[in-house]
Amino acid sequence: MDPIDTGSGSILKQPKAVWATAGASVVAFMGIGLVDPILPSIAQGLDATAGQVSLLFTSYFLITALAMLVTGFVSSRIGGRRTLLLGLALVVVFAGLSGTSGSVGELVGFRAGWGLGNALFVSTALAVIVGAAAGGSAAAILLYESALGLGMACGPLLGALLGDASWRYPFLGTAALMAVGFLCITAFLGEQPRPARKTSLLDPLKALGHGGLASTAMSAFFYNYTFFTVLAFTPFVLDMSPYRSGAVFFAWGVLLAVFSVIVAPRLQKRFGSLTVLGGSLVLLAADVLVLGHGSHTTAVVCTVLSGALIGVNNTVYTELALGVSDAPRPVASAGYNFVRWFAAAAPYFAPKIAEWSDARMPFTVAAVTAVLGALVVLVRRRALTAEAEELQPSHATEDGVGVFAN
């Protein structure tokens, strides 16, 4: 299926429930890059170091990793609608509390609560959208993927616009937007059918016993260390105003969205999933190495270009993780995400490495981890090849859970 071909369904002709969930998804994904342009402002406002402020990413994604073990357990028992509302409620509360923080420790803790809410919401949103969609799942999936890309692109922009006045405003603004999403889902989304089989807490860990899935998760762990270094440490290296930093990461997010939804499937079809993934990881390693060792202008350009490579990697990893084993796809996704999100240690280690050496060394380490990710793909190619050869660009999304891994 062509990545922009929606088949018989239309991306615009969807029920209000679908639009309500997709709109809330945009805001949920905005929360990931929201703090990028204002990291230096937060550090200044709370008298914190770069390492302390970078823990905003670490706490957020480590809690997200742990929450992946419980999201299926929760949603299979209380249903998709209640899981969405629970996640949204937690985001509203903890995003609002983040904007009132009096210390960096409080802010890091509130971001952890935010991560729990976001995990519950994001892990359920696509299945709910597909379940409520009219005219087939293809248009609904494309709508969700578009929401993901729009949120990743607009998060830094919102952070810059509101953060220019105060670093607190982006958090309070996100809480307000998610509150609107909560009301819309309450009003427009009916109760969703529950799965026939309830998911246990151990199912995602058992799924990792499959060699192909474990290899994909390990490779993604190394890749995500590189990704988080770019996301969390680059703003300190660029040292720009919130507006300029927001513009850089907006361009980064646009490339991420375009290459994830449109370009990556075409590359996969032509060259094969593993070749595309290995090549993209090596190019990402070269990109971050130049980012760290080049001039300021070069760093800006490489930051933006990294969005394209990250978009390609996200798409291919998603398809491999959800297709390489015989585990149910939501379960495989949970196990895969549980492993790869532990790379959220990167925002903590990057400033520490810079303190021990210089600002270039974190990017050198990030380049090495990207290469390690490519080596895992190469060494474990036999475990991945059979499934990778069968994957089509839409393979991982046809059953409505494919983008969970993004």
Side-chain angles (χ1 to χ4, degrees):
M1 184 183 73
D2 188 286
I4 61 175
D5 178 16
T6 61
S8 60
S10 170
I11 191 173
L12 299 178
K13 296 179 180 179
Q14 298 296 336
K16 293 179 180 179
V18 172
W19 286 111
T21 308
S25 298
V26 172
V27 182
F29 287 114
M30 284 170 60
I32 296 176
L34 180 79
V35 299
D36 267 339
I38 58 173
L39 285 176
S41 299
I42 295 174
Q44 183 178 3
L46 294 178
D47 192 24
T49 65
Q52 290 173 322
V53 172
S54 294
L55 287 173
L56 296 178
F57 287 99
T58 300
S59 64
Y60 182 90
F61 284 109
L62 285 182
I63 292 299
T64 298
L66 294 172
M68 286 298 165
L69 298 179
V70 303
T71 53
F73 178 87
V74 172
S75 64
S76 65
R77 284 163 174 78
I78 68 174
R81 181 176 183 271
R82 291 180 180 178
T83 303
L84 285 181
L85 292 175
L86 175 60
L88 285 171
L90 288 173
V91 172
V92 170
V93 170
F94 284 105
L97 289 173
S98 295
T100 66
S101 300
S103 69
V104 69
E106 287 184 4
L107 184 53
V108 168
F110 293 146
R111 277 284 284 183
W114 186 344
L116 173 60
N118 212 52
L120 289 169
F121 177 83
V122 170
S123 65
T124 311
L126 180 58
V128 170
I129 288 176
V130 172
S137 64
I141 293 169
L142 181 58
L143 181 63
Y144 181 86
E145 291 182 335
S146 300
L148 186 154
L150 184 62
M152 291 291 288
C154 291
L157 199 59
L158 179 67
L161 293 174
L162 297 179
D164 189 60
S166 170
W167 65 264
R168 299 181 185 275
Y169 291 166
F171 298 109
L172 298 176
T174 299
L177 289 172
M178 288 303 257
V180 173
F182 183 95
L183 294 175
C184 289
I185 288 178
T186 300
F188 300 123
L189 181 65
E191 188 55 69
Q192 302 296 296
R194 301 182 188 182
R197 177 183 176 275
K198 293 180 179 179
T199 301
S200 78
L201 294 174
L202 295 179
D203 282 350
L205 296 179
K206 291 177 181 178
L208 290 170
H210 186 279
L213 181 60
S215 300
T216 303
M218 182 55 63
S219 177
F221 168 84
F222 288 121
Y223 153 66
N224 274 273
Y225 185 98
T226 307
F227 166 68
F228 284 125
T229 300
V230 173
L231 191 66
F233 188 64
T234 301
F236 291 103
V237 174
L238 297 181
D239 193 23
M240 304 167 90
S241 68
Y243 277 124
R244 296 182 65 190
S245 182
V248 168
F249 278 95
F250 174 73
W252 170 87
V254 169
L255 284 185
L256 187 153
V258 170
F259 275 73
S260 177
V261 176
I262 298 176
V263 177
R266 286 182 165 85
L267 292 176
Q268 287 175 268
K269 186 175 181 180
R270 181 170 181 178
F271 299 107
S273 294
L274 297 186
T275 299
V276 170
L277 181 60
S280 182
L281 287 169
V282 171
L283 289 175
L284 181 62
D287 180 85
V288 297
L289 193 63
V290 175
L291 192 163
H293 291 262
S295 65
H296 187 270
T297 300
T298 301
V300 170
V301 172
C302 288
T303 299
V304 173
L305 291 178
S306 70
L309 300 169
I310 288 169
V312 171
N313 291 334
N314 284 350
T315 294
V316 182
Y317 273 121
T318 295
E319 297 193 1
L320 285 176
L322 299 174
V324 75
S325 73
D326 56 0
R329 289 179 174 180
V331 173
S333 174
Y336 162 76
N337 278 293
F338 173 72
V339 173
R340 72 160 183 148
W341 285 132
F342 276 100
Y348 172 78
F349 285 117
K352 294 293 184 183
I353 294 171
E355 291 174 9
W356 299 333
S357 52
D358 56 47
R360 296 173 295 181
M361 188 55 66
F363 294 101
T364 302
V365 174
V368 171
T369 56
V371 172
L372 288 174
L375 286 176
V376 172
V377 173
L378 177 63
V379 172
R380 297 290 296 167
R381 190 178 186 92
R382 179 170 295 181
L384 300 172
T385 296
E387 180 61 35
E389 288 177 346
E390 297 175 2
L391 285 174
Q392 298 297 323
S394 61
H395 175 79
T397 57
E398 287 177 351
D399 64 352
V401 296
V403 192
F404 283 171
N406 273 338

